[in-house]
Amino acid sequence: MQVYYTILQVVYIAFAVVIAALIGWNVFKSKKITDKVIGAIALIMFILRILLIK
Amino acid sequence: MKKIREKKVREKKVREKKERVKKINLPKLDLNNKRNNIIVTSVIGVLALVVTIVTGVQFTKFRNFNAEFYTGNVDEIQSYSKYSKYLAGTSGDAPIYILYGDNNTVAVVRASDADKYDTIDKVLEADARVVKGGVVNIDKEELDISAIAKADAATAIDEVKNGTSDIAIVTYADYRAVRDTYTDLTVAKAEIEAVPSILVMGGTHPNEPSGQLAATMFLENAKVKRGVLYVVNEVNRSAYTHSQPQEATSWYYELQTASGQTRTFKYGSRATNTVDQWPTPDVYTHSSGQQLSSSEVRNINRSYPGDEKGTYTEKLSYAITQLVLQNDITMVVDLHEASPEYITINAIVAHDDALELASDAKMWTLDDVMNIGVEVSPATLHGLTHRDLGDYTYAYVFLAETSNASQGKLRGKFSPDLITYKEKDKFYEYAKEYDEKHGTKLLYAPAADIDERVARHTFTVSALIKSFNDMGCVSRTVNVGKIGEREGRYLGKLEIEMVPGYEDIMDNGVGYYLHDLD
């Protein structure tokens, strides 16, 4: 059980990193300011999660 | 006509306003221009980073903040990891405070001999024993040391220290008087005298503050005369490291001590932090096979008896189960709260074998100014203290509930005053008045302030102790237990003094009974 949860935790954080990177890339590539702002707000949650703060 | 005219004037004004807005020439940023795009993205990125840092610092500060407690009366502090080793170094590795009775009889030995004297027979077989200040041989019958003078006990302990004798049989108060000086001495594991013990649990759910405060009343004020008092006032410390999701709760609340010092306490979540336990399955299957909603998988009070290698929450409950089992704790009281509109409120929920004691305790509450209900623990609802901690240990297990508006769904805006209910919530007050006027049951109990809630809990624990003492001082007899049968045995009285009573707290407030911290 312990190993199972550790593996899931690592996979989960890896997913979060990938999604955060995609959002970050999308923020840069987007040509609309509103999209950039929305992406940046979404990124805040992912960064806090990846750092296991919240 | 007049109305039509007014309408036309309004419409004209709106039109003019729109035109004025149109005339403002906003600089048009061409984001196809690479330079512009980099500038805009950087500005937005920096703003997002600032928000991330500010919120991150706040969350981290809250996560790492531990409420301080006065431990001047505490004899020993253990931690969960002693009983559930995988919790070592994690946020949930909460302290277990232990207060020994002044009059408990103990055998003081050199620390290096502690393991050697783990049974009463080994103590009796030792070459030399010290009682009443002299080196004599003793029998079990002579273990009554009530007549020993202080000086004699000190001499007896000195002789163990000097190596003149192996064991000094004295009171715990005598040992306490020298333990800081004679750190190479300890109490032998052998049970020289059977005494009752109680575990007071608060903070199982950190959004139920009166449980923690009532346990703290015992921790900071109790003088144990006979028996052992265990206090855990942050049962799920991981749940204290984050707040209840989607509730916009306050994070802290404050109480003033008698001298005016401010003591700060946390208002956390009902469940273990997802940082400590993730993922959350769609359905939570308890070890009994019972299935509950996924939200309960991180609820410690659905995870008993726990599992040393299970989920993080199961490791926490395993520590409590082992604490009770390994120390053969006689009684356990788990202090909770519920929203005023929840049916199980102002009540003691008792395990089947503890029902008689709970019913007797109810009699004491009837004699006083408050009333309390008694409910039997449902046999098929697993994972709760009053069910599985009772099934998997030899303790009498109880759970008590009071009425907490800050947990309720009818409440208005959240604030620290809602937690203490020093400022009344208009919606709960309306519901209370409506019930009184129409004889309805919108609330099962009116919302109560923190003083009343803590007073109820301390009174309930004291009433249960009183009932145990009055009903023969016998430990639980287990006939059909999940851990084997066992006959109850006489333990003598559990004597705990100086805990504020119901009226004390109602008159002076909870803060009055909290100690100042250095």
Side-chain angles (χ1 to χ4, degrees):
Chain A
M1 186 66 92
Q2 180 73 20
V3 177
Y4 166 74
Y5 278 105
T6 307
I7 292 168
L8 278 179
Q9 178 88 324
V10 171
V11 170
Y12 168 72
I13 290 170
F15 266 116
V17 169
V18 170
I19 294 168
L22 288 172
I23 293 171
W25 178 245
N26 195 51
V27 167
F28 182 73
K29 290 300 282 181
S30 172
K31 304 300 174 202
K32 284 173 73 181
I33 289 186
T34 47
D35 285 357
K36 284 182 188 290
V37 172
I38 290 166
I41 291 169
L43 210 51
I44 294 170
M45 328 298 173
F46 276 91
I47 293 170
L48 291 173
R49 197 64 189 168
I50 290 162
L51 297 174
L52 292 181
I53 290 171
K54 180 70 178 170
Chain B
M1 282 300 286
K2 193 183 172 189
K3 279 185 181 173
I4 294 168
R5 236 187 349 263
E6 282 174 356
K7 196 181 171 191
K8 280 186 176 172
V9 170
R10 269 204 308 275
E11 282 172 356
K12 193 181 170 192
K13 278 183 182 172
V14 171
R15 234 181 1 258
E16 284 171 0
K17 196 177 174 186
K18 277 182 182 172
E19 279 166 10
R20 275 203 305 276
V21 171
K22 272 182 189 171
K23 281 176 192 167
I24 299 169
N25 287 323
L26 284 170
K28 285 194 175 175
L29 280 170
D30 180 11
L31 293 179
N32 289 314
N33 179 314
K34 201 175 175 183
R35 185 171 160 273
N36 285 352
N37 192 25
I38 288 172
I39 291 168
V40 171
T41 309
S42 302
V43 170
I44 292 172
V46 168
L47 286 173
L49 196 65
V50 169
V51 175
T52 309
I53 291 169
V54 170
T55 52
V57 166
Q58 291 298 315
F59 286 136
T60 308
K61 212 169 142 190
F62 177 66
R63 183 178 166 81
N64 294 335
F65 178 86
N66 284 322
E68 286 180 68
F69 303 101
Y70 171 77
T71 54
N73 298 333
V74 174
D75 291 305
E76 189 181 344
I77 301 177
Q78 298 178 351
S79 63
Y80 277 28
S81 50
K82 182 179 178 193
Y83 301 96
S84 187
K85 62 185 177 187
Y86 298 112
L87 293 174
T90 66
S91 65
D93 192 8
I96 300 160
Y97 304 101
I98 308 174
L99 289 79
Y100 295 104
D102 287 347
N103 301 326
N104 296 358
T105 309
V106 292
V108 176
V109 295
R110 285 180 288 278
S112 53
D113 290 345
D115 293 335
K116 203 166 141 188
Y117 299 108
D118 58 347
T119 64
I120 182 73
D121 288 334
K122 287 179 186 170
V123 172
L124 294 169
E125 283 163 12
D127 291 338
R129 298 137 209 136
V130 182
V131 287
K132 299 185 182 178
V135 181
V136 293
N137 288 323
I138 53 163
D139 295 317
K140 277 186 186 180
E141 289 73 27
E142 290 180 60
L143 285 174
D144 178 10
I145 53 149
S146 55
I148 294 178
K150 267 268 185 257
D152 291 334
T155 310
I157 293 171
D158 269 344
E159 291 194 15
V160 177
K161 167 80 178 161
N162 301 335
T164 316
S165 58
D166 291 336
I167 297 168
I169 296 174
V170 293
T171 65
Y172 196 89
D174 291 325
Y175 167 65
R176 189 188 287 131
V178 299
R179 71 178 171 195
D180 291 339
T181 320
Y182 296 169
T183 50
D184 52 344
L185 296 184
T186 190
V187 171
K189 288 182 181 171
E191 186 189 77
I192 302 300
E193 177 196 32
V195 291
S197 52
I198 185 166
L199 166 62
V200 180
M201 293 165 63
T204 287
H205 296 141
N207 60 338
E208 299 170 12
S210 81
Q212 182 182 52
L213 289 173
T216 306
M217 289 288 104
F218 278 81
L219 171 66
E220 300 196 358
N221 295 289
K223 299 276 182 224
V224 184
K225 288 292 163 194
R226 188 172 184 282
V228 186
L229 168 64
Y230 295 83
V231 177
V232 181
N233 60 355
E234 295 167 299
V235 171
N236 190 349
R237 210 182 204 190
S238 166
Y240 273 103
T241 63
H242 70 144
S243 56
Q244 188 76 2
Q246 300 176 8
E247 292 287 345
T249 63
S250 301
W251 286 357
Y252 308 97
Y253 65 98
E254 293 176 341
L255 294 169
Q256 306 287 326
T257 65
S259 71
Q261 194 185 80
T262 301
R263 294 272 306 262
T264 306
F265 299 89
K266 282 171 101 171
Y267 187 90
S269 170
R270 179 179 169 82
T272 302
N273 196 331
T274 48
V275 165
D276 295 318
Q277 183 179 325
W278 187 264
T280 301
D282 289 342
V283 175
Y284 163 44
T285 307
H286 180 258
S287 54
S288 64
Q290 167 189 268
Q291 292 195 322
L292 292 170
S293 92
S294 64
S295 61
E296 302 288 21
V297 74
R298 288 179 287 109
N299 178 356
I300 190 172
N301 204 30
R302 297 294 181 279
S303 69
Y304 289 95
D307 182 350
E308 190 179 22
K309 293 181 178 176
T311 64
Y312 191 80
T313 309
E314 284 173 330
K315 286 174 193 159
L316 295 172
S317 53
Y318 181 80
I320 292 287
T321 306
Q322 288 305 308
L323 166 71
V324 177
L325 265 181
Q326 290 179 27
N327 295 288
D328 201 4
I329 292 176
T330 317
M331 301 167 78
V332 176
V333 191
D334 185 15
L335 301 171
H336 285 253
E337 297 205 86
S339 57
E341 63 268 30
Y342 186 63
I343 193 165
T344 307
I345 202 156
N346 286 349
I348 305 171
V349 187
H351 183 269
D352 319 39
D353 290 343
L355 200 55
E356 208 176 333
L357 279 180
S359 303
D360 192 72
K362 179 183 162 63
M363 298 300 133
W364 293 114
T365 60
L366 277 174
D367 287 338
D368 210 274
V369 289
M370 66 171 212
N371 198 355
I372 196 159
V374 173
E375 298 185 23
V376 63
S377 168
T380 52
L381 180 54
H382 289 283
L384 294 100
T385 43
H386 54 73
R387 170 49 49 202
D388 283 77
L389 196 58
D391 281 352
Y392 285 89
T393 67
Y394 295 104
Y396 295 110
V397 183
F398 311 89
L399 181 148
E401 298 273 8
T402 56
S403 175
N404 172 18
S406 67
Q407 275 181 276
K409 295 298 175 198
L410 298 184
R411 67 170 171 81
K413 188 186 167 190
F414 206 102
S415 73
D417 286 339
L418 183 73
I419 299 171
T420 57
Y421 212 65
K422 290 298 177 189
E423 192 179 303
K424 295 189 186 304
D425 180 83
K426 64 177 178 182
F427 300 103
Y428 273 110
E429 290 308 304
Y430 176 78
K432 180 187 164 190
E433 281 167 25
Y434 190 91
D435 278 346
E436 283 168 358
K437 200 171 167 187
H438 301 282
T440 51
K441 206 79 180 163
L442 292 175
L443 308 178
Y444 284 93
D449 72 15
I450 198 74
D451 297 336
E452 186 182 341
R453 283 140 61 195
V454 175
R456 274 185 165 272
H457 274 332
T458 52
F459 188 90
T460 300
V461 178
S462 300
L464 287 167
I465 293 171
K466 198 171 177 181
S467 296
F468 172 80
N469 289 340
D470 286 353
M471 293 182 74
C473 312
V474 178
S475 65
R476 183 177 152 207
T477 295
V478 179
N479 291 321
V480 202
K482 289 182 177 167
I483 49 166
E485 297 178 9
R486 197 175 85 169
E487 274 297 309
R489 62 171 180 158
Y490 178 77
L491 298 172
K493 286 192 174 181
L494 177 59
E495 295 169 4
I496 299 176
E497 298 175 351
M498 303 301 286
V499 178
Y502 181 86
E503 286 179 355
D504 296 328
I505 297 175
M506 291 299 284
D507 289 345
N508 303 313
V510 185
Y512 185 85
Y513 298 98
L514 292 169
H515 274 252
D516 286 341
L517 300 172
D518 297 331

